Amino acid sequence: MILQPKYLTGDPAAINDFIDRFDVFLFDCDGVLWSGDHLFEGVVETLELLRSKGKKTIFVTNNSSKSRPQYQEKFTALGIPSHVDEIFGSSYSAAIYISRILKLEPPKNKVFVLGEVGIENELRGENVPFVGGTDPAYRRDMTPEDWTGLADGSLLDPEVGCVLTGLDLHINYLKLAHAYQYLRRGAVFLATNTDATFPANHSFFPGAGSMSTPLANMMGTKPVALGKPSQAMMDAIEGKFQLDRARTCMVGDRLDTDIKFGIEGRLGGTLAVQTGVNKKSDWEAEDAAAVPAYFVDKLSDLRAAAE
Amino acid sequence: MILQPKYLTGDPAAINDFIDRFDVFLFDCDGVLWSGDHLFEGVVETLELLRSKGKKTIFVTNNSSKSRPQYQEKFTALGIPSHVDEIFGSSYSAAIYISRILKLEPPKNKVFVLGEVGIENELRGENVPFVGGTDPAYRRDMTPEDWTGLADGSLLDPEVGCVLTGLDLHINYLKLAHAYQYLRRGAVFLATNTDATFPANHSFFPGAGSMSTPLANMMGTKPVALGKPSQAMMDAIEGKFQLDRARTCMVGDRLDTDIKFGIEGRLGGTLAVQTGVNKKSDWEAEDAAAVPAYFVDKLSDLRAAAE
């Protein structure tokens, strides 16, 4: 059975019907609400319309470099009203996964972080002990003592039972070597997300996947990724918000993360917008990564809904 | 047709016959001649025996962090007589490939190096211009100017037409972002080798593949690798030494690099030693990466040859 995605732009009756089907809307951010630092026109009003109809809005992002309060600052700077509790990032998802699902026990309950402060803040929020991360002790060249101490394990923290990778703008050989030695000794391998790149300044830059793929290549195993489209993230969202999946819709611009995330999570619906990575021709292709249930040109097309 | 590898250890007649079949012996180094800084017993005498019988000895290594003169220092330090011309490393292989096969023409003839001084020295030897590498200007954190200048290209060298990755102990985000932007703009993607790890201090550490796999993941394409088992390296060796492949034998410890390299290069023979990564059970396995023509316990077993 091939489902034909329903086009909502310019069809107020269909938009009303679409909105009425859901209580909760999960929004991807970049490519949906904004592009880089450019807020799309009409986004604030569209979110206000949905909220005025009693809908819950949740923002789901694979961005791992910012904690939720840091990410909320971006919403505020762009003029989008939001609550920190509405924001769900892959760092938070990872922290929840470690604390509530992995439940690492002493003496192997520390996390070695290959990533930035956003991950550290979320781990702190869940009382998960960690090493690495932004610690200046790891921001330096290898020394002869590092080669011997990493090889024989004397420089490793025996309490580390997990390696968590995310976007690390301070990646270096010393950190990679630490992460690899912990993994060789049996640490659980997690990633906030494995996006190869991320958009910035109207171009693309190395993403969190650039930190995990060398380790995956060395180990011959992939990390458990906690960002979209991982269902570990959906489980964490459901656990936190107690939402009814059948009455929830995922809104996004990427088929291989956002739309796939909603479909595999068996949500009631998925809505694709064409202001980001993927366009209509992508889901009409034979090898489409996923096909949305609904689509619009841009998010603010939903404002045509009747009052 | 399944060939049964011939076991030479303790069989002087078979060893004599083996040696007589070849004029040239290509040796992998680590795991064959030595392990880390430990020279195997009898290696010097074995090489002397082969040379006394008029055989040519060539040392073929994927090590990309050292130039040939630097690598020769290791031979000397371990007490192995050698000539720099006998040494063939993957950095040299890459330099030869760029200068004699790619033949990059101005104004796009520069190489962006993600690697160490060994690569730089070999490129200089072939008069190939390069940027990046050990330049201290690239050993720092990203600045706001980097994000904008890398995205719009104003910080990029318009003459770069090739990205060459090798083991870089000073890998960082700024270098990865540079390499990625050059590749996005059409630079040829090369790697000295793509080994996931390399042995050191009786353990393993992140190898040259840790520098290329993030870029391969971002680009969706793999680099041309110039180390074993790449036949680009065999072509370069043949071109330099004018050897007769039918009268040449590859000696190594790894099936997926050394033995595969010799077989795919259609050499007259391959000899596996069991002092490194792979053992007899590996090539007897159903999914063996490659099967050698001959094998011994250790290289010095060849000393049982009759005078």
Side-chain angles (χ1 to χ4, degrees), chain B residues 219-273:
Chain B
M219 294 302 296
T221 55
K222 290 185 177 179
V224 173
L226 279 309
K228 294 172 288 183
S230 165
Q231 290 304 310
M233 193 176 203
M234 188 67 86
D235 294 343
I237 292 172
E238 183 184 41
K240 179 177 164 77
F241 297 102
Q242 302 295 318
L243 51 79
D244 176 0
R245 293 195 186 207
R247 298 278 302 166
T248 300
C249 181
M250 177 71 207
V251 184
D253 66 311
R254 291 183 65 135
L255 302 178
D256 62 350
T257 52
D258 304 322
I259 303 304
K260 192 174 177 189
F261 180 64
I263 292 171
E264 293 187 347
R266 291 191 236 164
L267 299 187
T270 54
L271 172 69
V273 300

Side-chain angles (χ1 to χ4, degrees), chain A residues 141 147-148 150-151 168-173 177 180-181 184 196-198 201 203-206 210 213-214 217-218, chain B residues 141 147-148 150-151 168-173 177 180-181 184 196-198 201 203-206 210 213-214 217-218:
Chain A
D141 290 345
W147 290 98
T148 54
L150 285 169
D168 189 345
L169 299 179
H170 301 84
I171 180 80
N172 63 28
Y173 194 87
Y180 175 53
Q181 291 295 344
R184 289 190 79 207
T197 60
F198 72 92
N201 298 80
S203 182
F204 289 89
F205 283 82
S210 301
T213 52
N217 187 42
M218 287 180 243
Chain B
D141 291 345
W147 290 98
T148 54
L150 285 169
D168 190 346
L169 299 179
H170 302 84
I171 179 81
N172 63 27
Y173 194 89
Y180 175 53
Q181 291 295 344
R184 288 190 79 206
T197 61
F198 73 92
N201 297 80
S203 182
F204 290 89
F205 283 83
S210 301
T213 52
N217 187 42
M218 287 180 241

Side-chain angles (χ1 to χ4, degrees), chain A residues 58-123:
Chain A
I58 300 172
F59 305 101
V60 182
T61 171
N62 274 3
N63 186 310
S64 69
S65 59
K66 292 187 173 74
S67 63
R68 286 166 299 149
Q70 289 177 308
Y71 209 66
Q72 198 206 356
E73 288 174 17
K74 171 147 193 177
F75 280 77
T76 304
L78 290 174
I80 308 175
S82 67
H83 298 280
V84 71
D85 278 346
E86 290 179 317
I87 297 168
F88 207 94
S90 61
S91 293
Y92 183 56
S93 178
I96 296 268
Y97 184 84
I98 292 167
S99 66
R100 306 184 191 180
I101 296 174
L102 276 188
K103 293 178 184 168
L104 297 171
E105 295 286 344
K108 281 278 183 192
N109 63 330
K110 278 189 193 169
V111 175
F112 179 79
V113 175
L114 193 64
E116 298 286 347
V117 67
I119 295 177
E120 295 180 324
N121 287 343
E122 300 292 9
L123 289 174

